[in-house]
Amino acid sequence: FPPAPAQYLNGSTQPLADYSGQTVTAATAQLTALNFTVTVAPGQVASAQPAGTVAYTDPAPGTRVSTGYPITIYVSDGTLSKTVPNVTDDPFPAAKAAIAAAGFTVDAVQGCVVVTDASKVGLAVSTNPVQGWQGPAATKVTVLIGKLLSCP
């Protein structure tokens, strides 16, 4: 027999998107607009997502669900999140070390930003995500290093 067409195998389902890290209000609005029934679980759960944002949903992202399906949002307490440190004016090796010491498990990468102040050349000007941002340890942090004329 030939393989069955996808619409017969999956029906009218769609994979659930990942709402982790979004505000509860935004995730609820998006899910409601997709005609899902949304419930926010009481309390908060230990999570690496920033406090007060979506830690995870049930069912999990990627699960095929149909319209009207009940989706439960679990809110993060932020206890497992890491905070991007202030590395402004640090050379890249020191900035990279500070980011690792803050608990980020992915090596920081070097980016470039044009500066007009010669004293900022070769030093960290900012990061992406920004200093003070909280999130999972597996987040890649880019350190923007000052250059005078142009960035490659």
Side-chain angles (χ1 to χ4, degrees):
F1 292 98
Q7 70 265 25
Y8 297 127
L9 293 174
N10 298 321
S12 60
T13 63
Q14 58 186 321
L16 186 64
D18 187 356
Y19 295 92
S20 301
Q22 289 192 24
T23 67
V24 174
T25 302
T28 300
Q30 290 173 32
L31 288 163
T32 301
L34 293 169
N35 294 316
F36 292 113
T37 303
V38 181
T39 303
V40 177
Q44 296 185 331
V45 296
S47 167
Q49 297 301 331
T53 65
V54 176
Y56 60 91
T57 57
D58 183 25
T63 303
R64 297 196 69 86
V65 290
S66 58
T67 301
Y69 198 86
I71 309 292
T72 302
I73 293 175
Y74 292 86
V75 181
S76 173
D77 68 2
T79 56
L80 303 178
S81 66
K82 305 301 176 192
T83 302
V84 175
N86 179 2
V87 295
T88 303
D89 295 332
D90 287 352
F92 180 70
K96 183 176 178 179
I99 290 165
F104 288 93
T105 58
V106 176
D107 278 343
V109 296
Q110 184 172 332
C112 173
V113 63
V114 175
V115 294
T116 55
D117 182 349
S119 70
K120 300 292 184 186
V121 173
L123 301 176
V125 174
S126 63
T127 58
N128 183 16
V130 298
Q131 165 196 334
W133 178 87
Q134 294 184 324
T139 302
K140 177 176 73 174
V141 179
T142 301
V143 180
L144 299 176
I145 301 295
K147 302 272 185 186
L148 262 184
L149 301 175
S150 67
C151 292

CSV table of all heavy atoms in Angstrom, one decimal, residues 50-117:
chain,number,residue,atom,x,y,z
A,50,PRO,N,13.3,33.4,33.0
A,50,PRO,CA,13.2,34.5,33.9
A,50,PRO,C,11.9,34.4,34.8
A,50,PRO,O,10.9,33.9,34.3
A,50,PRO,CB,13.1,35.7,33.0
A,50,PRO,CG,13.8,35.3,31.7
A,50,PRO,CD,13.5,33.8,31.6
A,51,ALA,N,12.0,34.9,36.0
A,51,ALA,CA,10.9,34.8,36.9
A,51,ALA,C,9.7,35.5,36.3
A,51,ALA,O,9.8,36.6,35.7
A,51,ALA,CB,11.3,35.5,38.2
A,52,GLY,N,8.5,34.9,36.5
A,52,GLY,CA,7.3,35.4,36.0
A,52,GLY,C,6.9,35.2,34.5
A,52,GLY,O,5.9,35.5,34.0
A,53,THR,N,7.9,34.5,33.8
A,53,THR,CA,7.6,34.2,32.4
A,53,THR,C,7.2,32.7,32.3
A,53,THR,O,7.2,32.0,33.3
A,53,THR,CB,8.8,34.4,31.5
A,53,THR,OG1,9.9,33.5,31.9
A,53,THR,CG2,9.3,35.9,31.6
A,54,VAL,N,6.9,32.3,31.1
A,54,VAL,CA,6.5,30.9,30.9
A,54,VAL,C,7.7,30.0,31.1
A,54,VAL,O,8.7,30.1,30.4
A,54,VAL,CB,5.9,30.7,29.5
A,54,VAL,CG1,5.5,29.2,29.2
A,54,VAL,CG2,4.6,31.6,29.3
A,55,ALA,N,7.5,29.0,32.0
A,55,ALA,CA,8.6,28.0,32.2
A,55,ALA,C,8.4,26.9,31.2
A,55,ALA,O,9.4,26.5,30.5
A,55,ALA,CB,8.5,27.4,33.6
A,56,TYR,N,7.2,26.4,31.0
A,56,TYR,CA,6.9,25.4,30.0
A,56,TYR,C,5.4,25.3,29.9
A,56,TYR,O,4.6,25.9,30.7
A,56,TYR,CB,7.5,24.1,30.4
A,56,TYR,CG,7.1,23.5,31.7
A,56,TYR,CD1,6.0,22.6,31.8
A,56,TYR,CD2,7.8,23.7,32.9
A,56,TYR,CE1,5.6,22.1,33.0
A,56,TYR,CE2,7.4,23.2,34.1
A,56,TYR,CZ,6.3,22.3,34.1
A,56,TYR,OH,5.9,21.8,35.3
A,57,THR,N,4.9,24.5,28.9
A,57,THR,CA,3.5,24.2,28.8
A,57,THR,C,3.3,22.7,28.8
A,57,THR,O,4.2,21.9,28.6
A,57,THR,CB,3.0,24.8,27.4
A,57,THR,OG1,3.7,24.1,26.4
A,57,THR,CG2,3.1,26.3,27.3
A,58,ASP,N,2.0,22.4,29.1
A,58,ASP,CA,1.6,21.0,29.0
A,58,ASP,C,0.3,21.0,28.2
A,58,ASP,O,-0.6,21.7,28.5
A,58,ASP,CB,1.3,20.5,30.4
A,58,ASP,CG,0.9,19.0,30.4
A,58,ASP,OD1,1.3,18.3,29.4
A,58,ASP,OD2,0.2,18.5,31.3
A,59,PRO,N,0.4,20.4,27.0
A,59,PRO,CA,1.5,19.5,26.5
A,59,PRO,C,2.7,20.3,26.1
A,59,PRO,O,2.7,21.5,26.0
A,59,PRO,CB,0.8,18.9,25.3
A,59,PRO,CG,-0.3,19.7,24.9
A,59,PRO,CD,-0.8,20.4,26.1
A,60,ALA,N,3.8,19.6,25.9
A,60,ALA,CA,5.1,20.1,25.5
A,60,ALA,C,5.1,20.7,24.1
A,60,ALA,O,4.3,20.3,23.3
A,60,ALA,CB,6.2,19.1,25.7
A,61,PRO,N,6.1,21.6,23.9
A,61,PRO,CA,6.2,22.1,22.5
A,61,PRO,C,6.5,21.0,21.5
A,61,PRO,O,7.1,20.0,21.8
A,61,PRO,CB,7.5,23.0,22.6
A,61,PRO,CG,7.5,23.4,24.0
A,61,PRO,CD,7.0,22.2,24.8
A,62,GLY,N,5.9,21.1,20.3
A,62,GLY,CA,6.0,20.1,19.3
A,62,GLY,C,4.9,19.0,19.3
A,62,GLY,O,4.7,18.3,18.3
A,63,THR,N,4.2,18.9,20.4
A,63,THR,CA,3.1,18.0,20.5
A,63,THR,C,2.0,18.4,19.5
A,63,THR,O,1.6,19.6,19.5
A,63,THR,CB,2.5,17.9,21.9
A,63,THR,OG1,3.6,17.6,22.8
A,63,THR,CG2,1.4,16.9,22.0
A,64,ARG,N,1.5,17.5,18.8
A,64,ARG,CA,0.4,17.8,17.8
A,64,ARG,C,-0.9,17.9,18.6
A,64,ARG,O,-1.3,17.0,19.3
A,64,ARG,CB,0.3,16.8,16.7
A,64,ARG,CG,1.6,16.8,15.9
A,64,ARG,CD,1.4,16.1,14.6
A,64,ARG,NE,0.6,16.9,13.7
A,64,ARG,CZ,1.0,17.8,12.8
A,64,ARG,NH1,2.2,18.2,12.8
A,64,ARG,NH2,0.1,18.4,12.0
A,65,VAL,N,-1.6,19.1,18.5
A,65,VAL,CA,-2.8,19.3,19.2
A,65,VAL,C,-3.9,19.9,18.3
A,65,VAL,O,-3.5,20.5,17.3
A,65,VAL,CB,-2.6,20.3,20.4
A,65,VAL,CG1,-1.8,19.6,21.5
A,65,VAL,CG2,-1.9,21.6,20.0
A,66,SER,N,-5.1,19.7,18.6
A,66,SER,CA,-6.2,20.2,17.8
A,66,SER,C,-6.8,21.4,18.4
A,66,SER,O,-6.7,21.7,19.6
A,66,SER,CB,-7.3,19.1,17.5
A,66,SER,OG,-7.8,18.7,18.8
A,67,THR,N,-7.6,22.2,17.6
A,67,THR,CA,-8.2,23.4,18.1
A,67,THR,C,-9.1,23.1,19.4
A,67,THR,O,-9.7,22.0,19.4
A,67,THR,CB,-9.1,24.0,17.0
A,67,THR,OG1,-8.3,24.3,15.9
A,67,THR,CG2,-9.9,25.2,17.5
A,68,GLY,N,-9.1,23.9,20.3
A,68,GLY,CA,-9.8,23.7,21.6
A,68,GLY,C,-9.1,22.9,22.6
A,68,GLY,O,-9.6,22.8,23.7
A,69,TYR,N,-8.0,22.3,22.3
A,69,TYR,CA,-7.3,21.5,23.2
A,69,TYR,C,-6.9,22.3,24.4
A,69,TYR,O,-6.5,23.4,24.3
A,69,TYR,CB,-6.1,20.9,22.5
A,69,TYR,CG,-5.5,19.7,23.2
A,69,TYR,CD1,-6.0,18.4,23.0
A,69,TYR,CD2,-4.5,19.8,24.2
A,69,TYR,CE1,-5.5,17.3,23.6
A,69,TYR,CE2,-4.0,18.7,24.8
A,69,TYR,CZ,-4.5,17.4,24.6
A,69,TYR,OH,-4.0,16.3,25.2
A,70,PRO,N,-6.9,21.7,25.6
A,70,PRO,CA,-6.5,22.5,26.8
A,70,PRO,C,-5.0,22.5,26.9
A,70,PRO,O,-4.3,21.5,26.8
A,70,PRO,CB,-7.1,21.7,28.0
A,70,PRO,CG,-7.3,20.3,27.5
A,70,PRO,CD,-7.5,20.4,26.0
A,71,ILE,N,-4.5,23.8,27.1
A,71,ILE,CA,-3.1,24.0,27.3
A,71,ILE,C,-2.9,24.6,28.7
A,71,ILE,O,-3.5,25.6,29.0
A,71,ILE,CB,-2.5,25.0,26.2
A,71,ILE,CG1,-2.9,24.6,24.8
A,71,ILE,CG2,-1.0,25.2,26.4
A,71,ILE,CD1,-2.3,23.3,24.3
A,72,THR,N,-1.9,24.0,29.4
A,72,THR,CA,-1.6,24.6,30.8
A,72,THR,C,-0.3,25.3,30.7
A,72,THR,O,0.7,24.7,30.2
A,72,THR,CB,-1.6,23.5,31.8
A,72,THR,OG1,-2.9,22.8,31.9
A,72,THR,CG2,-1.3,24.1,33.2
A,73,ILE,N,-0.2,26.5,31.2
A,73,ILE,CA,1.0,27.3,31.3
A,73,ILE,C,1.5,27.2,32.7
A,73,ILE,O,0.8,27.4,33.6
A,73,ILE,CB,0.8,28.8,30.9
A,73,ILE,CG1,0.4,28.8,29.4
A,73,ILE,CG2,2.0,29.6,31.2
A,73,ILE,CD1,0.0,30.2,28.9
A,74,TYR,N,2.8,26.9,32.8
A,74,TYR,CA,3.5,26.9,34.1
A,74,TYR,C,4.4,28.1,34.2
A,74,TYR,O,5.2,28.3,33.2
A,74,TYR,CB,4.3,25.6,34.3
A,74,TYR,CG,3.3,24.4,34.5
A,74,TYR,CD1,2.8,23.7,33.3
A,74,TYR,CD2,2.9,24.0,35.7
A,74,TYR,CE1,1.9,22.7,33.5
A,74,TYR,CE2,1.9,23.0,35.9
A,74,TYR,CZ,1.5,22.3,34.7
A,74,TYR,OH,0.6,21.3,34.9
A,75,VAL,N,4.3,28.8,35.2
A,75,VAL,CA,5.1,30.1,35.4
A,75,VAL,C,6.4,29.8,36.1
A,75,VAL,O,6.4,29.2,37.2
A,75,VAL,CB,4.2,31.1,36.1
A,75,VAL,CG1,5.0,32.4,36.3
A,75,VAL,CG2,2.9,31.3,35.4
A,76,SER,N,7.5,30.4,35.6
A,76,SER,CA,8.8,30.2,36.2
A,76,SER,C,9.0,31.1,37.5
A,76,SER,O,8.6,32.2,37.5
A,76,SER,CB,9.9,30.7,35.2
A,76,SER,OG,11.2,30.7,35.8
A,77,ASP,N,9.7,30.5,38.4
A,77,ASP,CA,10.1,31.3,39.6
A,77,ASP,C,11.5,31.9,39.4
A,77,ASP,O,12.0,32.7,40.2
A,77,ASP,CB,10.1,30.5,40.9
A,77,ASP,CG,11.1,29.4,41.0
A,77,ASP,OD1,11.9,29.2,40.0
A,77,ASP,OD2,11.1,28.7,42.0
A,78,GLY,N,12.2,31.5,38.3
A,78,GLY,CA,13.5,32.1,37.9
A,78,GLY,C,14.7,31.6,38.7
A,78,GLY,O,15.8,32.0,38.5
A,79,THR,N,14.5,30.6,39.6
A,79,THR,CA,15.5,30.2,40.5
A,79,THR,C,16.7,29.5,39.8
A,79,THR,O,17.8,29.4,40.3
A,79,THR,CB,15.0,29.2,41.6
A,79,THR,OG1,14.3,28.1,41.0
A,79,THR,CG2,14.1,30.0,42.6
A,80,LEU,N,16.4,28.9,38.6
A,80,LEU,CA,17.5,28.2,37.9
A,80,LEU,C,18.1,29.1,36.8
A,80,LEU,O,19.0,28.6,36.1
A,80,LEU,CB,17.0,26.9,37.3
A,80,LEU,CG,16.3,26.0,38.3
A,80,LEU,CD1,15.8,24.7,37.6
A,80,LEU,CD2,17.3,25.6,39.4
A,81,SER,N,17.7,30.4,36.7
A,81,SER,CA,18.2,31.2,35.6
A,81,SER,C,19.6,31.8,36.0
A,81,SER,O,19.9,31.9,37.2
A,81,SER,CB,17.2,32.3,35.3
A,81,SER,OG,17.1,33.2,36.4
A,82,LYS,N,20.3,32.2,35.0
A,82,LYS,CA,21.6,32.8,35.1
A,82,LYS,C,21.4,34.3,34.7
A,82,LYS,O,20.6,34.7,33.9
A,82,LYS,CB,22.6,32.2,34.2
A,82,LYS,CG,22.7,30.7,34.5
A,82,LYS,CD,23.1,30.3,35.9
A,82,LYS,CE,23.1,28.9,36.2
A,82,LYS,NZ,23.2,28.5,37.5
A,83,THR,N,22.3,35.2,35.3
A,83,THR,CA,22.2,36.6,35.0
A,83,THR,C,23.4,37.1,34.3
A,83,THR,O,24.6,36.8,34.7
A,83,THR,CB,22.1,37.4,36.3
A,83,THR,OG1,20.9,36.9,37.0
A,83,THR,CG2,22.0,38.9,36.1
A,84,VAL,N,23.2,37.8,33.1
A,84,VAL,CA,24.4,38.3,32.4
A,84,VAL,C,25.1,39.4,33.2
A,84,VAL,O,24.4,40.3,33.6
A,84,VAL,CB,23.9,38.9,31.0
A,84,VAL,CG1,25.1,39.5,30.3
A,84,VAL,CG2,23.3,37.8,30.1
A,85,PRO,N,26.4,39.2,33.5
A,85,PRO,CA,27.1,40.2,34.3
A,85,PRO,C,27.5,41.4,33.5
A,85,PRO,O,27.4,41.5,32.3
A,85,PRO,CB,28.3,39.4,34.7
A,85,PRO,CG,28.6,38.5,33.6
A,85,PRO,CD,27.2,38.1,33.1
A,86,ASN,N,27.8,42.5,34.3
A,86,ASN,CA,28.3,43.7,33.7
A,86,ASN,C,29.8,43.4,33.3
A,86,ASN,O,30.7,43.2,34.1
A,86,ASN,CB,28.3,44.8,34.7
A,86,ASN,CG,28.8,46.1,34.1
A,86,ASN,OD1,29.2,46.2,33.0
A,86,ASN,ND2,28.8,47.2,34.9
A,87,VAL,N,30.1,43.4,32.0
A,87,VAL,CA,31.4,43.3,31.5
A,87,VAL,C,31.9,44.5,30.7
A,87,VAL,O,32.9,44.4,30.1
A,87,VAL,CB,31.5,42.0,30.6
A,87,VAL,CG1,31.3,40.7,31.4
A,87,VAL,CG2,30.6,42.1,29.4
A,88,THR,N,31.2,45.6,30.8
A,88,THR,CA,31.5,46.8,30.1
A,88,THR,C,33.0,47.2,30.5
A,88,THR,O,33.3,47.2,31.7
A,88,THR,CB,30.6,47.9,30.5
A,88,THR,OG1,29.2,47.5,30.2
A,88,THR,CG2,30.9,49.2,29.8
A,89,ASP,N,33.7,47.6,29.5
A,89,ASP,CA,35.1,48.0,29.6
A,89,ASP,C,36.1,46.9,29.9
A,89,ASP,O,37.3,47.1,30.1
A,89,ASP,CB,35.3,49.1,30.6
A,89,ASP,CG,34.6,50.4,30.2
A,89,ASP,OD1,34.4,50.7,29.0
A,89,ASP,OD2,34.2,51.2,31.1
A,90,ASP,N,35.6,45.6,29.8
A,90,ASP,CA,36.6,44.5,30.0
A,90,ASP,C,37.1,44.1,28.6
A,90,ASP,O,36.3,44.1,27.6
A,90,ASP,CB,35.8,43.3,30.6
A,90,ASP,CG,35.5,43.4,32.0
A,90,ASP,OD1,36.0,44.4,32.7
A,90,ASP,OD2,34.8,42.6,32.6
A,91,PRO,N,38.3,43.6,28.5
A,91,PRO,CA,38.8,43.0,27.2
A,91,PRO,C,38.0,41.7,27.0
A,91,PRO,O,37.5,41.1,28.0
A,91,PRO,CB,40.3,42.8,27.4
A,91,PRO,CG,40.5,42.9,28.9
A,91,PRO,CD,39.4,43.7,29.5
A,92,PHE,N,37.9,41.2,25.8
A,92,PHE,CA,37.1,40.0,25.5
A,92,PHE,C,37.5,38.8,26.4
A,92,PHE,O,36.5,38.2,27.0
A,92,PHE,CB,37.1,39.6,24.1
A,92,PHE,CG,36.3,38.4,23.8
A,92,PHE,CD1,34.9,38.5,23.8
A,92,PHE,CD2,36.9,37.2,23.5
A,92,PHE,CE1,34.1,37.4,23.6
A,92,PHE,CE2,36.1,36.1,23.2
A,92,PHE,CZ,34.7,36.2,23.3
A,93,PRO,N,38.7,38.5,26.6
A,93,PRO,CA,39.0,37.3,27.4
A,93,PRO,C,38.5,37.4,28.9
A,93,PRO,O,37.9,36.5,29.4
A,93,PRO,CB,40.6,37.2,27.5
A,93,PRO,CG,41.0,37.9,26.2
A,93,PRO,CD,40.0,39.0,26.0
A,94,ALA,N,38.5,38.6,29.5
A,94,ALA,CA,38.0,38.8,30.8
A,94,ALA,C,36.5,38.7,30.8
A,94,ALA,O,35.9,38.2,31.7
A,94,ALA,CB,38.5,40.1,31.4
A,95,ALA,N,35.9,39.3,29.8
A,95,ALA,CA,34.4,39.3,29.6
A,95,ALA,C,33.9,37.9,29.5
A,95,ALA,O,32.9,37.4,30.1
A,95,ALA,CB,34.0,40.1,28.4
A,96,LYS,N,34.6,37.1,28.6
A,96,LYS,CA,34.2,35.7,28.4
A,96,LYS,C,34.3,34.9,29.7
A,96,LYS,O,33.5,34.1,30.0
A,96,LYS,CB,35.1,35.1,27.3
A,96,LYS,CG,34.8,33.7,27.0
A,96,LYS,CD,35.7,33.2,25.8
A,96,LYS,CE,35.5,31.8,25.5
A,96,LYS,NZ,36.3,31.3,24.4
A,97,ALA,N,35.4,35.1,30.5
A,97,ALA,CA,35.6,34.5,31.8
A,97,ALA,C,34.5,34.8,32.8
A,97,ALA,O,34.0,34.0,33.5
A,97,ALA,CB,36.9,34.8,32.3
A,98,ALA,N,34.1,36.1,32.8
A,98,ALA,CA,33.0,36.6,33.7
A,98,ALA,C,31.7,35.9,33.4
A,98,ALA,O,30.9,35.6,34.3
A,98,ALA,CB,32.9,38.1,33.7
A,99,ILE,N,31.4,35.8,32.1
A,99,ILE,CA,30.2,35.2,31.6
A,99,ILE,C,30.1,33.7,32.0
A,99,ILE,O,29.1,33.2,32.5
A,99,ILE,CB,30.0,35.4,30.1
A,99,ILE,CG1,29.7,36.9,29.9
A,99,ILE,CG2,28.9,34.6,29.6
A,99,ILE,CD1,29.8,37.4,28.5
A,100,ALA,N,31.3,33.0,31.8
A,100,ALA,CA,31.3,31.6,32.2
A,100,ALA,C,31.2,31.5,33.8
A,100,ALA,O,30.5,30.6,34.2
A,100,ALA,CB,32.7,31.0,31.8
A,101,ALA,N,31.8,32.4,34.5
A,101,ALA,CA,31.7,32.4,36.0
A,101,ALA,C,30.3,32.6,36.5
A,101,ALA,O,29.9,32.2,37.5
A,101,ALA,CB,32.7,33.4,36.6
A,102,ALA,N,29.5,33.3,35.6
A,102,ALA,CA,28.1,33.6,36.0
A,102,ALA,C,27.2,32.4,35.8
A,102,ALA,O,26.0,32.4,36.1
A,102,ALA,CB,27.6,34.8,35.2
A,103,GLY,N,27.8,31.3,35.2
A,103,GLY,CA,27.1,30.1,35.0
A,103,GLY,C,26.6,29.7,33.6
A,103,GLY,O,25.9,28.7,33.4
A,104,PHE,N,26.9,30.6,32.7
A,104,PHE,CA,26.5,30.3,31.3
A,104,PHE,C,27.4,29.2,30.8
A,104,PHE,O,28.6,29.2,30.9
A,104,PHE,CB,26.6,31.5,30.4
A,104,PHE,CG,25.5,32.5,30.7
A,104,PHE,CD1,25.7,33.5,31.6
A,104,PHE,CD2,24.2,32.4,30.2
A,104,PHE,CE1,24.7,34.4,32.0
A,104,PHE,CE2,23.2,33.2,30.5
A,104,PHE,CZ,23.4,34.3,31.4
A,105,THR,N,26.8,28.2,30.1
A,105,THR,CA,27.5,27.0,29.7
A,105,THR,C,28.0,27.0,28.3
A,105,THR,O,28.8,26.2,27.9
A,105,THR,CB,26.7,25.7,30.0
A,105,THR,OG1,25.4,25.9,29.2
A,105,THR,CG2,26.3,25.5,31.4
A,106,VAL,N,27.5,28.0,27.5
A,106,VAL,CA,27.9,28.1,26.1
A,106,VAL,C,28.9,29.2,26.1
A,106,VAL,O,28.7,30.3,26.7
A,106,VAL,CB,26.7,28.5,25.2
A,106,VAL,CG1,27.1,28.7,23.8
A,106,VAL,CG2,25.6,27.4,25.3
A,107,ASP,N,30.1,28.9,25.4
A,107,ASP,CA,31.1,30.0,25.3
A,107,ASP,C,30.6,31.3,24.8
A,107,ASP,O,29.9,31.3,23.8
A,107,ASP,CB,32.3,29.5,24.5
A,107,ASP,CG,33.2,28.6,25.2
A,107,ASP,OD1,33.2,28.5,26.4
A,107,ASP,OD2,34.0,27.9,24.5
A,108,ALA,N,30.9,32.4,25.4
A,108,ALA,CA,30.6,33.7,24.9
A,108,ALA,C,31.3,33.9,23.5
A,108,ALA,O,32.4,33.4,23.3
A,108,ALA,CB,31.0,34.8,25.9
A,109,VAL,N,30.6,34.6,22.7
A,109,VAL,CA,31.2,34.9,21.3
A,109,VAL,C,31.5,36.4,21.2
A,109,VAL,O,30.8,37.2,21.9
A,109,VAL,CB,30.3,34.4,20.2
A,109,VAL,CG1,30.2,32.9,20.2
A,109,VAL,CG2,29.0,35.1,20.2
A,110,GLN,N,32.4,36.7,20.4
A,110,GLN,CA,32.8,38.1,20.2
A,110,GLN,C,32.1,38.7,19.0
A,110,GLN,O,32.1,38.2,17.9
A,110,GLN,CB,34.3,38.2,20.0
A,110,GLN,CG,34.9,39.6,19.9
A,110,GLN,CD,36.4,39.7,19.9
A,110,GLN,OE1,37.0,38.8,20.4
A,110,GLN,NE2,36.9,40.7,19.3
A,111,GLY,N,31.5,39.9,19.2
A,111,GLY,CA,30.9,40.7,18.2
A,111,GLY,C,31.6,42.0,18.1
A,111,GLY,O,32.6,42.2,18.7
A,112,CYS,N,31.1,42.9,17.3
A,112,CYS,CA,31.8,44.1,17.0
A,112,CYS,C,30.8,45.2,17.0
A,112,CYS,O,29.7,45.1,16.5
A,112,CYS,CB,32.5,44.0,15.7
A,112,CYS,SG,33.3,45.5,15.1
A,113,VAL,N,31.2,46.4,17.5
A,113,VAL,CA,30.4,47.6,17.4
A,113,VAL,C,31.3,48.8,17.1
A,113,VAL,O,32.4,48.8,17.7
A,113,VAL,CB,29.5,47.8,18.6
A,113,VAL,CG1,30.4,48.0,19.9
A,113,VAL,CG2,28.6,49.0,18.5
A,114,VAL,N,31.0,49.7,16.2
A,114,VAL,CA,31.8,50.9,15.9
A,114,VAL,C,31.6,51.9,17.0
A,114,VAL,O,30.5,52.2,17.5
A,114,VAL,CB,31.4,51.5,14.6
A,114,VAL,CG1,32.2,52.8,14.3
A,114,VAL,CG2,31.7,50.5,13.4
A,115,VAL,N,32.8,52.4,17.6
A,115,VAL,CA,32.7,53.4,18.6
A,115,VAL,C,33.5,54.7,18.1
A,115,VAL,O,34.3,54.6,17.2
A,115,VAL,CB,33.4,52.9,19.9
A,115,VAL,CG1,32.6,51.8,20.5
A,115,VAL,CG2,34.8,52.5,19.7
A,116,THR,N,33.1,55.8,18.7
A,116,THR,CA,33.9,57.0,18.3
A,116,THR,C,34.9,57.4,19.4
A,116,THR,O,35.7,58.2,19.2
A,116,THR,CB,32.8,58.2,18.2
A,116,THR,OG1,32.1,58.3,19.4
A,116,THR,CG2,31.9,57.9,17.0
A,117,ASP,N,34.8,56.8,20.6
A,117,ASP,CA,35.7,57.1,21.7
A,117,ASP,C,36.8,56.1,21.6
A,117,ASP,O,36.6,54.8,21.8
A,117,ASP,CB,34.9,56.9,23.0
A,117,ASP,CG,35.8,57.2,24.2
A,117,ASP,OD1,37.0,57.3,24.1
A,117,ASP,OD2,35.2,57.3,25.3
